[in-house]
Amino acid sequence: MQVLIIFNPTAGTASQQLIDAIEQRLQQAGVTVQRYATRHAGDAMDYLAAYEGELDVVAAAGGDGTLNEVVNGMRQRDNQSWRLAIIPTGTTNVLATELGIRRRAGALAQMILQGREQALYPGRINGRRFLLMAGVGYDAWVVDKVDLALKKKAGKLAYVKSMLQQLRHFGRKQYRLQVDGVPYSASSVVMTNGRCYGGSFIISRQANLSAPTTQVLMMNGRSPWALLLSLLGLPLGLMEKMPGIVSVPARRVDIELVGTQAEPEPVQADGDSLAQLPLQLVMEEQPLRVLVP
C-alpha cells in the first residue's frame, strides 16, 4: 500500500507527534509512507496536481482548509483510483467530527489500514471542489473578515469575534438564486453537504454526505434580529424549522447579487474565502472514497 500524508507543519508539536506515531504504525504494518509538508496556502493543491506516482491513500493532516486543498489537488484523477483519509489536526475539522474520526494515533492508523469506505459526493463552485459547505452573505462575510493572526492564537474565538462584527450588516444585501432551475431570493445562503456546522452543531437534518445533492438553506429577513432568531435553532439542531428559513436539496445552484456592488462579493467554501459571486455550484456525479473507522 502507498500512503501519502499531506500535512501543515504550522499545526504545532502535538500534531507532529501524532503524524509521527501514525507513520510508525503504518510502516510496522509494511506500508510505504511518504510525507509532504505544505509551505504556503495552495501548496498542497499544486503539489498533488503535479504528483505522478501511484497512490492508494492520500491522508490530509490538518483542518478543513487543508482537506479542501487535497481534494482539489486530486480532482484530475479518477475518484475511484484512490482513497481519502482524514487526520484531524487543524483549528476545525468538521468533516472528521461528522464521520466520527477521533484524534488517536492507533485508531487513525487502523482506519488507514482496514477502515471501511464511505462515499462522499463533492461539489464544485466556479470549478473548485468543496466537501462540506459553502456560504454567501453573512456566513461568507464572517469567514472573509476573520482575523488570521487571532485565529492562530485563539482558534474558534476569532470566528466569534468576526460573527459579532458582521452581524450589523445582515439584511442589507439580497441574493437571487436558481436552485435546480427554481427561482428564490434570500438575505444569506448556506449550502451544506453534511449535517454539522462549526463543529458539532447540527445545521441540517436533511443533509447527507453520501447523497449526490447539497442542502440549500436560505435565510430571509432584513435585520440582524431576524438572523439571531434563526441562529437560536442551531444549538438545538432545529435551524431548518426556524421562521424565515427555507431548506431544499439541489444538484445545481446559481447565485448572484441583486443590484451593483463596488467590491467583490465573497463566497466561502470549507471555511475559507475561495470564490466570488456570481456563483455556479454543481454536484459531482462520482463520489470520493473516504476511509472511516
Side-chain angles (χ1 to χ4, degrees):
M1 179 187 289
Q2 302 280 341
V3 175
L4 172 61
I5 300 175
I6 303 291
F7 69 99
N8 183 348
T10 65
T13 303
S15 296
Q16 186 68 50
Q17 292 173 343
L18 176 68
I19 295 169
D20 290 343
I22 293 170
E23 181 178 8
Q24 183 180 23
R25 285 170 167 81
L26 292 176
Q27 289 176 336
Q28 289 173 348
V31 174
T32 300
V33 181
Q34 181 181 350
R35 293 163 63 158
Y36 181 76
T38 59
R39 297 167 293 182
H40 52 76
D43 188 37
M45 186 165 52
D46 294 339
Y47 176 78
L48 286 168
Y51 191 91
E52 296 182 348
E54 293 296 321
L55 285 176
D56 296 307
V57 176
V58 179
D64 294 323
T66 300
L67 186 58
N68 182 279
E69 286 198 23
V70 166
V71 297
N72 273 285
M74 298 292 286
R75 67 181 181 271
Q76 298 303 323
R77 293 193 180 218
D78 186 332
N79 290 353
Q80 301 307 298
S81 69
W82 60 283
R83 293 173 295 166
L84 174 67
I86 301 166
I87 301 174
T89 64
T91 303
T92 58
N93 201 308
V94 179
L95 185 57
T97 300
E98 183 116 9
L99 297 176
I101 299 172
R102 307 303 178 197
R103 190 180 162 125
R104 300 190 191 98
L108 289 166
Q110 189 65 21
M111 179 187 74
I112 293 172
L113 290 168
Q114 297 181 337
R116 63 184 178 88
E117 294 181 15
Q118 179 169 331
L120 190 157
Y121 283 86
R124 296 201 184 205
I125 292 178
N126 297 354
R128 176 159 178 154
R129 273 179 168 171
F130 78 102
L131 284 180
L132 278 169
M133 65 177 55
V136 170
Y138 176 72
D139 184 66
W141 305 336
V142 169
V143 171
D144 190 57
K145 299 300 183 181
V146 73
D147 185 330
L148 296 180
L150 181 61
K151 179 182 175 182
K152 289 182 179 180
K153 295 179 181 178
K156 292 182 180 180
L157 289 177
Y159 289 97
V160 174
K161 178 183 177 183
S162 187
M163 288 175 68
L164 295 173
Q165 291 174 331
Q166 297 305 315
L167 183 62
R168 67 183 185 274
H169 300 303
F170 179 81
R172 296 182 182 179
K173 298 178 182 179
Q174 286 292 112
Y175 303 93
R176 184 182 298 115
L177 298 88
Q178 290 282 332
V179 182
D180 286 341
V182 179
Y184 293 91
S185 64
S187 299
S188 197
V189 185
V190 173
M191 295 149 284
T192 181
N193 298 341
R195 291 158 51 92
C196 296
Y197 182 89
S200 57
F201 293 124
I202 302 296
I203 191 171
S204 172
R205 295 190 179 276
Q206 301 181 66
N208 184 348
L209 286 166
S210 295
T213 56
T214 191
Q215 197 69 24
V216 185
L217 279 73
M218 293 164 277
M219 306 174 195
N220 297 289
R222 296 284 185 169
S223 74
W225 296 109
L227 175 61
L228 287 172
L229 179 60
S230 299
L231 293 177
L232 285 175
L234 189 57
L236 302 174
L238 299 174
M239 190 165 179
E240 288 172 305
K241 296 183 179 295
M242 299 304 290
I245 299 290
V246 176
S247 179
V248 296
R251 288 177 176 268
R252 172 166 176 158
V253 183
D254 295 271
I255 305 177
E256 61 182 5
L257 180 69
V258 176
T260 58
Q261 177 70 19
E263 298 181 355
E265 186 70 11
V267 176
Q268 79 89 0
D270 291 342
D272 288 312
S273 292
L274 296 181
Q276 298 173 354
L277 290 185
L279 172 151
Q280 181 187 89
L281 182 156
V282 179
M283 295 301 293
E284 293 188 9
E285 296 183 358
Q286 187 183 52
L288 299 176
R289 301 159 63 200
V290 182
L291 291 170
V292 297

